[in-house]
Amino acid sequence: MAKQWDFSRIREWGWREHPVGPVIPEPGTADRYETGGWRSLRPILSPEKCVHCFTCFIYCPDSAIVVSAEKMKGFNLRHCKGCGICARECPKDAIHMVNEAEARGLEKCLLPEEGGTGREQTS
Amino acid sequence: MPRTVALIGTDAIAEAMRQINPDVVPAYPITPQTAIVETFAQMVGDGLVDTEMINAESEHSALSAAIGAAAAGARVMTATSAQGLALMWEMLYIASGMRLPIVMPNVNRALSAPINIHCDHSDSMGARDSGWIQLFSENAQEAYDNVLQAVLIAEDPNVLLPVMVLLDGFIISHAVERLDLLDDRTAKQFIGTLMPRDSLLDAENPPSWGVFDGLGGYYFEFKRAQAQAMINAAAAVRKVAGQYAEISGRHYDFFETYRLDDAELVIVAAGSAAGTIRSMIDDLRAEGLRIGMLKLRMFRPFPERDLVKALSHVKNVAVFDRSDTFAGEMGGPLFVELRAAFYEEEKRPQMLNFIYGLGGRDLSRNLIRQAVDSCKLAAGSNERQKRIIYLGIRD
Ligand code: SF4
Ligand code: SF4
């Protein structure tokens, strides 16, 4: 079992209580950190073009490509920061980037402030 | 059984590295350090060590690789000089901020411009606030001994800071000297094995290193902890020196004193100049002058209290600096810090600063005599004023 790191009171910690050096001893904590808020461009999948090669999955720096049952399903918008790497690397041009504001008008995007979890898929 | 050998300083360092057998050595050549990594690379090629040697494309990359390897839990060393150290600047602070026990010999060489490959201390003195422990060496023996001790100082759980071992370019690095090496078994026992903490290679507990402080702001707390580590380093330096004395018979401390007890005038210096000064002190003593020397070994942490204690009975102190602060008539770094150390004291010696040997200019016995004459003059005049003298300058 990986270490659990209880930092619930980190704001009250004195300097002696932090780990030595900027280390986070528990793995996977970035999952709790929303990077989707930075996004100004949103990736849109054209499912009919996708051949499920997972090139996008390999390249995505934020592990924001959602895969299930060996199929590329879309994007985790809580973590997708809109860098566009997936769109550029996709060998089938199955991903294109659209303006985030435009995207919000085009479709129902359930970001947290809109009452959603932010984890909904866009396609 | 120790082995008595004749080696150039850089080979003495390489011998220490062979005995340490670091897991990873990323390096980039620069005069006069090159000979260290050349000899060490041959040792790697000959299979004398198990080290993964990485030929980096710059010093910035060399220290970056060292930082990554150290975070992965490896025992890591590299070496550099002058411009190479300058190119490492960004990473120096990251190594100390991430509390990684990297050991790095720095062969002291003047920083450009004008370009100059010879010794002064401007390179490492520029890094004096980078959070690295800094140990000076007078000769090849001390450089070798310092490198072995540096490993344990850096890895002390109360410290966990990188260590720079300083040796004067060419004067120590390229001159053949007689020295005693520990036998390999004794050296290896002394060094022991590193117990890594939060290793990046720990698949059971994979940690994140060097993470973004966030906008919440804990940077201040991390820096306070780092400051404490440097305070703790003094005790570790002394503890490791004690352990080293047991196996080597050679005694080290924050500084070494020579004929200091009844001295009225004391020269404070660091590095190879101490050898020349020591021989000059014998001659001046024979002439009836009550003079002594204090050779500083540990510049970081700065042993403020111990220095004050050692020098409080002295009337005149001549501080020899092999670099300048360019701070506007403040003098060299040693002078600035030693003067500050006496601020609260009732009894303060008259202190003169001699900036010498920049760009490798020789410190002759005659120049030391000149410095001593200036001190005598100042002592006679009884007026207190700051004096910064460029010793051996063409005026
Ligand atoms: S790279 Fe393109 S084709 Fe391959 S899985 Fe991703 S979207 Fe589909
Ligand atoms: S835009 Fe960037 S972050 Fe978002 S899914 Fe594509 S590669 Fe990942």
Side-chain angles (χ1 to χ4, degrees), chain A residues 1-3 10-11 14-15 18-27, chain B residues 97 197-198 204-211 218 221-222 224-225 228:
Chain A
M1 253 307 278
K3 267 181 212 163
I10 191 167
R11 293 203 171 270
W15 60 270
H18 288 267
V20 176
V23 168
I24 293 179
E26 182 185 338
Chain B
R197 71 200 160 93
D198 298 314
E204 296 288 307
N205 293 294
S208 301
W209 273 80
V211 291
Y218 307 106
E221 279 70 33
F222 280 109
R224 176 64 186 85
Q228 190 62 43

Side-chain angles (χ1 to χ4, degrees), chain B residues 180-332:
Chain B
D180 289 334
L181 303 179
L182 299 177
D183 68 77
D184 287 359
R185 241 193 42 198
T186 308
K188 280 181 198 313
Q189 265 169 14
F190 174 72
I191 289 302
T193 44
L194 170 67
M195 297 302 286
R197 71 200 160 93
D198 298 314
S199 162
L200 284 174
L201 297 180
D202 182 352
E204 296 288 307
N205 293 294
S208 301
W209 273 80
V211 291
F212 181 44
D213 169 46
L215 304 173
Y218 307 106
Y219 183 91
F220 206 172
E221 279 70 33
F222 280 109
K223 290 296 143 183
R224 176 64 186 85
Q226 190 182 330
Q228 190 62 43
M230 189 58 93
I231 295 166
N232 298 347
V237 166
R238 214 163 235 171
K239 188 179 95 194
V240 172
Q243 294 165 350
Y244 195 73
E246 278 174 32
I247 58 162
S248 68
R250 291 185 290 279
H251 297 265
Y252 287 91
D253 204 345
F254 303 158
F255 48 79
E256 178 195 309
T257 57
Y258 186 66
R259 305 187 80 165
L260 193 75
D261 289 349
D262 66 336
E264 292 179 340
L265 166 62
V266 171
I267 300 179
V268 174
S272 64
T276 317
I277 294 167
R278 193 184 287 106
S279 85
M280 200 58 202
I281 281 179
D282 290 338
D283 288 11
L284 291 164
R285 280 266 177 183
E287 291 167 23
L289 193 69
R290 280 161 67 178
I291 183 167
M293 178 181 69
L294 187 149
K295 178 186 78 178
L296 191 66
R297 172 186 181 232
M298 183 177 82
F299 183 68
R300 282 291 178 269
F302 193 72
E304 186 188 20
R305 286 206 195 102
D306 295 75
L307 284 168
V308 166
K309 223 169 116 197
L311 294 172
S312 55
H313 70 282
V314 175
K315 280 193 194 137
N316 287 76
V317 173
V319 182
F320 276 43
D321 265 299
R322 203 161 195 153
S323 62
D324 201 345
T325 57
F326 305 108
E329 291 191 290
M330 289 296 286

Side-chain angles (χ1 to χ4, degrees), chain B residues 108 119 121 136-140 142 166-173 177 269-278 293 295 322 356 363:
Chain B
N108 283 111
C119 174
H121 298 158
F136 275 103
S137 323
E138 183 191 329
N139 49 40
E142 291 194 4
L166 309 172
L167 59 151
D168 285 353
F170 294 102
I171 303 164
I172 303 177
S173 68
E177 285 184 60
S272 64
T276 317
I277 294 167
R278 193 184 287 106
M293 178 181 69
K295 178 186 78 178
R322 203 161 195 153
Y356 74 99
L363 179 69

Side-chain angles (χ1 to χ4, degrees), chain B residues 51-234:
Chain B
T51 305
E52 177 76 32
M53 184 141 186
I54 303 169
N55 295 313
E57 77 275 23
S58 75
E59 285 85 355
H60 187 279
S61 305
L63 192 53
S64 299
I67 288 167
R75 196 172 247 169
V76 184
M77 294 185 71
T78 181
T80 195
S81 285
Q83 306 310 121
L85 184 65
L87 189 52
M88 286 179 175
W89 229 254
E90 181 187 12
M91 308 318 294
L92 288 177
Y93 286 77
I94 293 175
S96 58
M98 283 171 66
R99 310 286 302 278
L100 297 170
I102 297 164
V103 173
M104 177 167 75
N106 177 69
V107 185
N108 283 111
R109 162 184 155 180
L111 279 177
S112 296
I115 194 163
N116 179 303
I117 59 167
H118 292 284
C119 174
D120 70 33
H121 298 158
S122 54
D123 54 358
S124 63
M125 280 302 181
R128 65 187 185 272
D129 296 343
S130 66
W132 285 58
I133 294 163
Q134 294 186 325
L135 302 175
F136 275 103
S137 323
E138 183 191 329
N139 49 40
Q141 179 76 70
E142 291 194 4
Y144 166 84
D145 292 339
N146 276 339
V147 169
L148 288 173
Q149 292 175 66
V151 175
L152 293 195
I153 296 165
E155 292 171 6
D156 185 300
N158 294 321
V159 180
L160 295 168
L161 285 175
V163 184
M164 223 178 268
V165 172
L166 309 172
L167 59 151
D168 285 353
F170 294 102
I171 303 164
I172 303 177
S173 68
H174 284 62
V176 176
E177 285 184 60
R178 174 205 170 286
L179 69 150
D180 289 334
L181 303 179
L182 299 177
D183 68 77
D184 287 359
R185 241 193 42 198
T186 308
K188 280 181 198 313
Q189 265 169 14
F190 174 72
I191 289 302
T193 44
L194 170 67
M195 297 302 286
R197 71 200 160 93
D198 298 314
S199 162
L200 284 174
L201 297 180
D202 182 352
E204 296 288 307
N205 293 294
S208 301
W209 273 80
V211 291
F212 181 44
D213 169 46
L215 304 173
Y218 307 106
Y219 183 91
F220 206 172
E221 279 70 33
F222 280 109
K223 290 296 143 183
R224 176 64 186 85
Q226 190 182 330
Q228 190 62 43
M230 189 58 93
I231 295 166
N232 298 347

Side-chain angles (χ1 to χ4, degrees), chain A:
Chain A
M1 253 307 278
K3 267 181 212 163
Q4 297 286 303
W5 187 42
D6 179 9
F7 58 95
S8 50
R9 297 170 71 83
I10 191 167
R11 293 203 171 270
E12 288 144 53
W13 285 359
W15 60 270
R16 292 176 189 83
E17 287 157 281
H18 288 267
V20 176
V23 168
I24 293 179
E26 182 185 338
T29 51
D31 188 45
R32 296 176 221 162
Y33 188 60
E34 182 178 345
T35 47
W38 311 347
R39 191 176 56 251
S40 64
L41 292 175
R42 180 185 298 195
I44 303 287
L45 180 70
S46 308
E48 71 283 1
K49 294 189 194 164
C50 175
V51 295
H52 308 285
C53 67
F54 304 136
T55 303
C56 55
F57 175 85
I58 291 164
Y59 275 93
C60 175
D62 286 285
S63 303
I65 304 292
V66 179
V67 171
S68 87
E70 299 191 22
K71 298 282 184 232
M72 157 40 168
K73 292 286 187 188
F75 312 94
N76 175 348
L77 291 182
R78 189 176 144 81
H79 289 140
C80 167
K81 65 181 180 229
C83 66
I85 292 174
C86 54
R88 187 184 165 105
E89 297 299 333
C90 171
K92 293 289 171 192
D93 287 330
I95 301 171
H96 69 283
M97 306 299 292
V98 300
N99 185 289
E100 177 67 18
E102 202 182 300
R104 290 190 190 204
L106 277 175
E107 61 190 63
K108 187 107 186 93
C109 172
L110 298 177
L111 287 168
E113 62 269 28
E114 295 159 342
T117 64
R119 284 173 186 274
E120 285 83 359
Q121 294 153 22
T122 62
S123 55

